[in-house]
Amino acid sequence: MKKLAVVAIGGNAVNRPGEKATAENMFKNLSETAKFISKMLDEYDIAITHGNGPQVGNLLVQQEIAKEKIPPFPIDVNDAQTQGSLGYMIAQTLHNELKEKGKNMQIASIITQIVVDKNDPAFQNPTKPVGPFYTEEEAKKLANEKGWIIKEDAGRGWRRVVPSPKPLEIIEKDVIKLLMKNDVIVIAAGGGGIPVILEDGKIKGVEAVIDKDRASALLAKEINADILVILTGVEKVYLNYGKENQKPLDILTTTEAKKFLAEGHFPKGSMGPKIESAINFVEQTGKECIITDMKVLDKALRGETGTKIIKG
Ligand SMILES: NC(=O)OP(=O)(O)O
């Protein structure tokens, strides 16, 4: 029997740094991503999750420019748009890769809503970077003109930030489980899921972008996954990343992970949420999480590279 995995694909699986975010480039990059992910399908049934920070921010910019003629949508509707566009691209590129390998598997991209707490303090303190990078000067000008909140993003430049509440419950969890039981590759919780709140027994979208690694950990827990795989731009997690004394980590216990997180080894906008999500999933389930680069995914799953987070 195959094991169950949630695979969270990072931003560089979709857009390479410095490359234009054209549909053509995104299809090209995702075709490569599909090659790496498809290697795990003999051993694992998978649910794929993806980010949407750059894409949802780009949609907001497009709508800002066109707002005199076409009314902008709220952020939750734009989250849904990115689930649709990226879900389509991932499904198509994976379908084509599997066909080339002589495999005929069904792939379903699920528009996924995730309940958040309407009193989550994140609504008062936006932290999630979206859209393009700006210089400090450009970003401050845009913040003045458009009322955006802007922040410096992990030493890479300035970006608009929006609220990022904690994901609590996946509305479509049962249909995701049903599809996975029936050997369907599921793409779900894209862009961290569409944030919704409960009001008078109904659900209603709210303007925010949930962190995709947090949503991936929740999905992995809810579908009882054997492993959470977080794909990113580095092969291993490092202590003192980018410094002369940087040290790669092969195995990290949850106790060590919490200590290093508190010591500031994992920046808020990049490795921090991945480590937090890994700790949540591993502590709550006793299962494992691997953080690695998709190019070495097969080796990491064999325990030959990557950083494995275990309970302890
Ligand atoms: N929603 C989200 O976390 O997107 P990124 O990973 O692209 O920032």
Side-chain angles (χ1 to χ4, degrees):
M1 192 158 132
K2 286 189 193 178
K3 287 182 261 183
L4 209 58
V6 167
V7 182
I9 61 175
N12 63 343
V14 186
N15 289 123
R16 302 278 190 265
E19 188 181 70
K20 271 212 166 141
T22 61
E24 191 186 2
N25 281 336
M26 290 159 80
F27 275 115
K28 171 178 67 71
N29 295 331
L30 284 167
S31 298
E32 199 188 339
T33 303
K35 283 188 199 309
F36 296 116
I37 290 180
S38 65
K39 288 186 192 171
M40 68 188 289
L41 292 174
D42 288 338
E43 278 188 58
Y44 293 89
D45 286 320
I46 64 167
I48 299 171
T49 66
H50 60 83
N52 73 341
Q55 296 78 23
V56 75
N58 290 351
L59 279 179
L60 295 174
V61 172
Q62 286 174 348
Q63 294 182 15
E64 176 69 33
I65 293 166
K67 75 177 176 194
E68 300 307 329
K69 292 208 167 156
I70 302 161
F73 284 153
I75 301 178
D76 52 304
V77 179
N78 283 302
D79 286 327
Q81 302 240 34
T82 62
Q83 283 192 351
S85 55
L86 285 164
Y88 155 62
M89 290 179 175
I90 295 167
Q92 186 181 96
T93 49
L94 191 55
H95 172 96
N96 288 340
E97 175 63 26
L98 294 178
K99 267 275 151 73
E100 207 172 293
K101 288 199 164 129
K103 289 184 180 159
N104 193 11
M105 292 179 79
Q106 287 288 296
I107 305 166
S109 198
I110 306 293
I111 298 296
T112 315
Q113 303 170 86
I114 300 191
V115 178
V116 300
D117 181 349
K118 66 177 168 198
N119 297 315
D120 191 313
F123 287 108
Q124 308 309 321
N125 178 28
T127 54
K128 182 75 195 160
V130 295
F133 288 89
Y134 299 101
T135 64
E136 185 174 352
E137 196 187 342
E138 285 167 340
K140 287 187 172 158
K141 191 163 171 272
L142 285 164
N144 269 336
E145 282 171 13
K146 303 187 189 302
W148 291 356
I149 300 172
I150 49 156
K151 283 194 179 148
E152 207 272 332
D153 181 6
R156 297 176 295 184
W158 288 71
R159 289 173 92 185
R160 181 179 178 185
V161 288
V162 298
S164 192
K166 221 167 106 187
L168 301 176
E169 191 193 342
I170 298 175
I171 297 288
E172 292 80 9
K173 61 179 179 293
D174 290 337
V175 74
I176 294 170
K177 282 190 217 167
L178 188 68
L179 287 167
M180 293 190 77
K181 262 194 200 134
N182 285 280
D183 298 326
V184 176
I185 298 172
V186 175
I187 302 160
I194 303 160
V196 295
I197 54 168
L198 298 173
E199 231 173 46
D200 302 327
K202 294 186 176 167
I203 54 172
K204 184 179 145 199
V206 279
E207 294 215 77
V209 174
I210 300 173
D211 180 84
K212 71 114 181 13
D213 296 309
R214 283 176 160 184
S216 305
L218 176 66
L219 176 65
K221 193 162 57 90
E222 292 208 347
I223 67 169
N224 208 11
D226 296 292
I227 189 164
L228 169 63
V229 179
I230 300 180
L231 298 177
T232 185
V234 286
E235 192 167 326
K236 293 184 187 203
V237 177
Y238 287 83
L239 295 182
N240 300 310
Y241 182 65
K243 298 182 184 158
E244 266 184 20
N245 61 342
Q246 70 174 21
K247 183 179 169 223
L249 299 166
D250 296 327
I251 293 191
L252 191 55
T253 65
T254 45
T255 308
E256 289 167 336
K258 281 186 203 169
K259 177 176 167 284
F260 296 143
L261 192 62
E263 287 172 0
H265 283 281
F266 311 127
K268 278 203 169 73
S270 51
M271 194 52 83
K274 297 183 196 333
I275 296 290
E276 276 174 33
S277 306
I279 294 169
N280 278 343
F281 173 69
V282 172
E283 275 201 330
Q284 288 173 24
T285 63
K287 311 273 179 61
E288 291 174 354
C289 173
I290 291 176
I291 301 178
T292 194
D293 186 331
M294 65 179 173
K295 294 189 183 112
V296 290
L297 173 59
D298 50 346
K299 280 172 73 184
L301 289 169
R302 293 196 300 268
E304 294 165 20
T305 188
T307 299
K308 188 183 281 186
I309 296 96
I310 56 169
K311 195 169 179 174

